[in-house]
């Protein structure tokens, strides 16, 4: 397929018109937003849904008999059902609303404190975001469990032979991201989950990056826990999901105590509410959780097959054009990759490149991307990361390439 045909996978101008922010200028130039892996932009339907909530049915949920509270409660539970359907979870109560991926991982890591003992082993991958490393290190400190690391190779892929050798009857948990935020590698999570289960270990998959690009099926994956953040999926910040198999969510103790997560409280003893409320203490981000459902509807209306096909085309084109620049190295060259390009210009600090791109109206992320172990592997302080979404265009890739050339000229 030629790029032009690929661009016609959907009406890109119509899609761009859904996102008001894409009309703005930055430093005098039309904005080119290529920091989608950090947070996506929001379509008008999502912005409208936020205004609608606060204008028309703002109230606390699960608490009042009055009309507004019931309307808000219904919308909140409808959103949970949408997420259940989206992930193909077996039961709505297997979906827990959280404040984001970081919160979801901490909830599970905290719960495992009661399930691990000294000498148990848990396995992390070398490609993780800090939020899928640090909570597990803290769990090891609390329990005496040992953290092992699946190594990566030069292309930014995990070394599965090493992983298989690591597994034993001591392994209790394996956690890995679906897609690496720093390199874009799509990890072979089917194999990772299957091997872990053969060893009797549970698996948590960090889908923070994946859920913007694909639609995971948690039952087909047979994954024990799957986590993601709404803000990378065209939804609001401060909202996330935890999918957990019912048997695991029943086994884990509550994360926080407070209102809404109890069945009965006396000073002698408290009993806990049933799922999912056991894990949703206090007043949640009601508006955000409701609007997460709106964002998921929006993405599904576009269609994940189309999103993936179009983004792959952006990735191929940008990779080819960037590699024409002498001295530019791309980190993360796995065959299975999503639309993230991490790169450096020889002898030039990524911050300097990012600053010049910003002056030209182009938003990218620079630095270690909360993945210091990956940067240590490549012995670099960081990279420039351009991450594409379905609302980016081939013209924007040309703007990026020209701007990188200009940065090279100015900084060499
Ligand atoms: N990555 C990035 O620029 P929160 O902050 O809780 O919504 O998501 C944390 C997180 C966890 N796992 C992965 C794979 C992620 O990419 C992120 C967030 C952003 O890459 C911000 S650091």
């Amino acid at each position: 397929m030629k790029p032009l045909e690929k661009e016609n996978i959907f009406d890109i101008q119509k899609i761009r018109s859904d996102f008001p922010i894409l009309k703005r200028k930055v430093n005098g130039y039309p904005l080119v937003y290529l920091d989608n892996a950090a947070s996506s932009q929001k379509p008008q339907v999502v912005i409208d849904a936020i205004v609608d909530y606060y204008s028309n049915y703002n109230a606390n949920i699960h608490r009042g008999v009055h009309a507004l509270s019931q309307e808000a409660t219904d919308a909140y539970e409808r959103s949970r059902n949408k997420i259940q359907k989206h992930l193909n979870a077996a039961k709505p109560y297997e979906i827990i609303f959280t404040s984001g991926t970081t919160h979801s991982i901490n909830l599970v890591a905290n719960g495992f404190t009661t399930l691990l003992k000294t000498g148990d082993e848990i396995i992390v991958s070398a490609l993780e975001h800090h939020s899928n490393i640090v909570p597990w290190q803290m769990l090891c400190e609390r329990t005496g469990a040992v953290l092992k690391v699946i190594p990566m190779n030069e292309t930014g892929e995990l070394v599965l032979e090493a992983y298989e050798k690591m597994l034993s009857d001591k392994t209790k948990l394996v956690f890995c991201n679906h897609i690496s935020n720093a390199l874009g590698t799509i990890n072979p999570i089917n194999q990772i989950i299957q091997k872990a289960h053969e060893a009797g270990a549970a698996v948590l998959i960090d889908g923070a990056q994946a859920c913007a690009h694909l639609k995971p099926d948690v039952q087909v994956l047979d994954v024990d826990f799957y986590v993601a953040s709404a803000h990378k999926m065209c939804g609001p910040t401060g909202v996330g999901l935890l999918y957990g198999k019912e048997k695991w969510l029943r086994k884990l103790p509550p994360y926080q105590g407070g209102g809404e997560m109890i069945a009965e409280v006396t000073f002698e003893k408290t009993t806990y509410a049933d799922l999912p409320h056991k894990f949703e203490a206090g007043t949640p981000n009601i508006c955000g959780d409701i609007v997460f459902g709106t964002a998921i509807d929006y993405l599904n209306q576009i269609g994940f097959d189309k999103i993936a096909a179009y983004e792959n085309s952006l990735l191929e084109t940008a990779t080819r054009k960037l590699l024409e620049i002498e001295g530019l190295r791309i980190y993360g060259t796995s065959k299975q990759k999503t639309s993230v390009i991490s790169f450096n210009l020889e002898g030039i600090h990524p911050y300097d490149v990012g600053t010049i791109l910003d002056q030209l109206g182009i938003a990218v992320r620079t630095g270690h991307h909360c993945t210091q172990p990956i940067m240590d592997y490549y012995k670099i302080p960081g990279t420039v990361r351009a991450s594409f979404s379905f609302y980016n265009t081939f013209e924007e890739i040309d703007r990026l390439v020209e701007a990188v050339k200009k940065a090279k000229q100015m900084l060499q």
Side-chain angles (χ1 to χ4, degrees):
M1 237 194 282
K2 285 190 232 103
L4 188 66
E5 287 167 322
K6 287 185 180 172
E7 192 162 10
N8 289 339
I9 289 168
F10 45 59
D11 184 347
I12 185 68
Q13 289 314 326
K14 156 87 186 55
I15 283 175
R16 285 179 71 78
S17 70
D18 292 341
F19 292 81
I21 208 168
L22 298 180
K23 294 189 189 82
R24 70 162 284 186
K25 289 191 169 181
V26 169
N27 294 325
Y29 293 91
L31 166 68
V32 175
Y33 187 77
L34 301 180
D35 196 17
N36 295 288
S39 201
S40 69
Q41 294 303 344
K42 317 304 169 202
Q44 191 65 50
V45 280
V46 163
I47 299 166
D48 288 346
I50 294 169
V51 175
D52 181 39
Y53 171 78
Y54 284 115
S55 308
N56 294 311
Y57 62 103
N58 170 46
N60 214 328
I61 51 165
H62 300 133
R63 283 163 169 86
V65 289
H66 62 83
L68 291 192
S69 174
Q70 284 182 7
E71 278 178 40
T73 303
D74 288 349
Y76 187 82
E77 292 306 328
R78 263 200 311 278
S79 180
R80 193 192 308 276
N81 291 340
K82 281 181 193 174
I83 298 169
Q84 176 208 351
K85 206 167 146 233
H86 183 70
L87 299 180
N88 191 31
K91 309 274 169 35
Y93 52 77
E94 289 178 321
I95 304 297
I96 310 297
F97 282 116
T98 66
S99 69
T101 301
T102 305
H103 176 184
S104 302
I105 295 171
N106 275 280
L107 188 160
V108 177
N110 186 73
F112 267 86
T113 310
T114 55
L115 303 179
L116 295 189
K117 58 179 187 322
T118 306
D120 283 345
E121 293 178 357
I122 60 177
I123 297 181
V124 66
S125 104
L127 292 176
E128 297 312 302
H129 186 280
H130 296 163
S131 63
N132 205 21
I133 300 174
V134 183
W136 305 111
Q137 288 174 324
M138 290 160 70
L139 173 65
C140 287
E141 278 169 23
R142 289 193 298 271
T143 60
V146 178
L147 185 70
K148 298 198 146 189
V149 184
I150 311 171
M152 61 180 279
N153 65 21
E154 197 64 21
T155 60
E157 290 167 323
L158 294 174
V159 182
L160 288 188
E161 302 75 44
Y163 167 57
E164 286 177 32
K165 283 190 194 133
M166 236 170 240
L167 289 162
S168 75
D169 56 4
K170 286 190 196 158
T171 315
K172 299 295 177 246
L173 249 177
V174 175
F175 28 96
C176 173
N177 60 43
H178 197 162
I179 293 181
S180 153
N181 67 314
L183 305 178
T185 313
I186 304 176
N187 286 312
I189 61 165
N190 280 307
Q191 268 167 281
I192 289 171
I193 294 166
Q194 193 198 327
K195 295 288 170 199
H197 285 170
E198 281 168 20
V203 182
L204 178 142
I205 296 295
D206 171 356
Q209 292 297 329
C211 281
H213 305 288
L214 51 84
K215 189 171 168 161
D217 182 322
V218 292
Q219 291 193 75
V220 170
L221 287 169
D222 192 25
V223 67
D224 302 286
F225 302 99
Y226 195 97
V227 299
S229 296
H231 70 93
K232 297 187 200 282
M233 302 169 65
C234 295
T237 52
V239 178
L241 69 89
L242 162 65
Y243 159 78
K245 276 186 188 164
E246 180 176 354
K247 68 167 187 186
W248 279 111
L249 293 180
R250 294 209 179 280
K251 226 182 264 183
L252 296 188
Y255 180 41
Q256 292 182 318
E260 198 53 26
M261 52 74 73
I262 55 91
E264 218 174 295
V265 178
T266 66
F267 282 111
E268 287 69 42
K269 186 176 166 54
T270 290
T271 51
Y272 303 127
D274 207 347
L275 295 172
H277 308 295
K278 172 179 147 187
F279 292 109
E280 293 180 359
T283 301
N285 183 346
I286 301 167
C287 175
D289 293 342
I290 292 172
V291 175
F292 190 7
T294 312
I296 286 179
D297 283 345
Y298 176 79
L299 291 173
N300 279 315
Q301 267 161 26
I302 294 175
F304 278 87
D305 287 349
K306 287 185 180 178
I307 289 174
Y310 182 71
E311 289 177 346
N312 274 338
S313 172
L314 290 175
L315 175 68
E316 271 170 36
T317 307
T319 303
R320 180 170 46 76
K321 292 191 172 183
L322 283 170
L323 284 176
E324 283 166 11
I325 301 172
E326 220 186 294
L328 185 144
R329 171 169 176 193
I330 291 179
Y331 298 88
T333 50
S334 166
K335 281 195 196 77
Q336 301 298 320
K337 236 191 111 164
T338 191
S339 49
V340 168
I341 303 183
S342 250
F343 65 92
N344 275 331
L345 289 169
E346 202 180 348
I348 301 174
H349 199 282
Y351 286 109
D352 296 335
V353 179
T355 305
I356 291 178
L357 296 188
D358 177 55
Q359 283 164 8
L360 298 168
I362 300 172
V364 292
R365 184 170 173 187
T366 57
H368 55 60
H369 316 298
C370 302
T371 57
Q372 283 182 358
I374 299 182
M375 302 301 131
D376 290 347
Y377 175 87
Y378 289 115
K379 299 188 176 56
I380 50 175
T383 67
V384 181
R385 184 188 68 181
S387 49
F388 304 92
S389 180
F390 57 88
Y391 44 72
N392 289 123
T393 65
F394 292 91
E395 290 73 31
E396 289 181 320
I397 290 174
D398 291 339
R399 287 258 319 268
L400 170 71
V401 173
E402 285 315 304
V404 174
K405 284 182 187 162
K406 192 161 179 186
K408 188 183 162 198
Q409 245 173 11
M410 289 168 72
L411 295 166
Q412 243 174 2

